[in-house]
Amino acid sequence: MRFAVKTRPEHTTWQQMRDVWVAADQLEIFESAWHWDHFYPLSGDMAGPNLEAWTTLAALAQATSRIRVGCQVNGMIYRHPAVTANMAATTDIISGGRLELGLGAGWNEMETAAYGIPLYPLKERFDRFDEGVQAIIALLTEKSANFDGKHIKLTDAYCEPKAVQTPHPPIAIGGKGPKRTLRAVAKWAQHWNVIVASPEEWKPLKDILVQHCSDVGRDVSEITCSVNIRIDPDQPLDVAVAAASAYGEAGVDLAVMNLPLDAPPSVLEPLAKALAPLA
């Protein structure tokens, strides 16, 4: 099994998060590090601090040298896909080819209402997401991209310079919607991330993904399957490690260990040692 860490950019400081990522960069068992794409915190005081995703990710890419970097996941509704493609290409360059391009449809009604960002009805949101993923891929792979969708249009569009990784940084699609999200994973993603309560909830979703892959002529083994595992600071570390073991036995490829809020860098070495027998 493979492992990653995730930090929460809420109610914290840049220095705190940077120090944790730098420490994770030194521990080879952690192949990637992640945070989230929100403008408001998701817990506690909603008027509290929350670091912006892409500017933070670019800085974290510069602060590290080995670990892959990503966001779970870029909300498509927050930025035009062409803007996302340009940011992704530049961040991949800054990182030396270590970006994992997380993409999702977006969902946070509090943020969108406050900022006047259209959330769109669910079907339209996923229609826009599908078009956005295709437009991003076109911009990252084609010298001059053209796309004629209902919602997204590109006309002889450039995204230069291109990312280091070819044909593009791996796309990680997050979510568990059986009809739209998992089909999008089968079509375009190299990585599927989902938050579930147990391996028993995960297994049927994986079966649906396998069927979607079969429908589109894709080998499901090309797609990394990951889950997020929350480390509860009030419980022994063994609880989270046991959960990782159970997911590994169920067939999950990558366990993303969600660190407690304001966890210091010192938590990482004990975690790495506890996970080592599973690697």
Side-chain angles (χ1 to χ4, degrees), residues 11 16 36 58 69-70 84 90 100 111 122 126 128 132 153 159 170 203 208 216 219 232 234 249 279:
H11 307 299
Q16 171 82 9
W36 69 43
V69 299
T84 300
T90 297
E100 297 278 324
E111 293 173 338
L122 196 60
F126 278 93
R128 287 176 175 271
K153 297 184 184 297
C159 176
K203 288 179 182 178
I208 294 170
V216 302
D219 185 349
D232 189 332
D234 298 324
E249 291 176 3

Side-chain angles (χ1 to χ4, degrees), residues 74-150:
N74 175 91
M76 193 69 76
I77 55 174
Y78 293 143
R79 306 166 189 87
H80 191 283
V83 176
T84 300
N86 278 272
M87 291 192 303
T90 297
T91 304
D92 196 53
I93 291 167
I94 291 169
S95 70
R98 292 182 287 124
L99 177 67
E100 297 278 324
L101 178 50
L103 298 173
W107 58 269
N108 196 308
E109 187 173 357
M110 179 181 295
E111 293 173 338
T112 54
Y115 291 162
I117 298 171
L119 186 57
Y120 306 111
L122 196 60
K123 180 183 183 304
E124 181 180 346
R125 200 183 320 159
F126 278 93
D127 290 345
R128 287 176 175 271
F129 174 74
D130 286 353
E131 289 188 11
V133 174
Q134 293 173 82
I136 288 169
I137 292 173
L139 285 160
L140 291 174
T141 58
E142 299 172 13
K143 178 64 177 177
S144 176
N146 289 277
F147 185 82
D148 187 20
K150 180 179 179 181

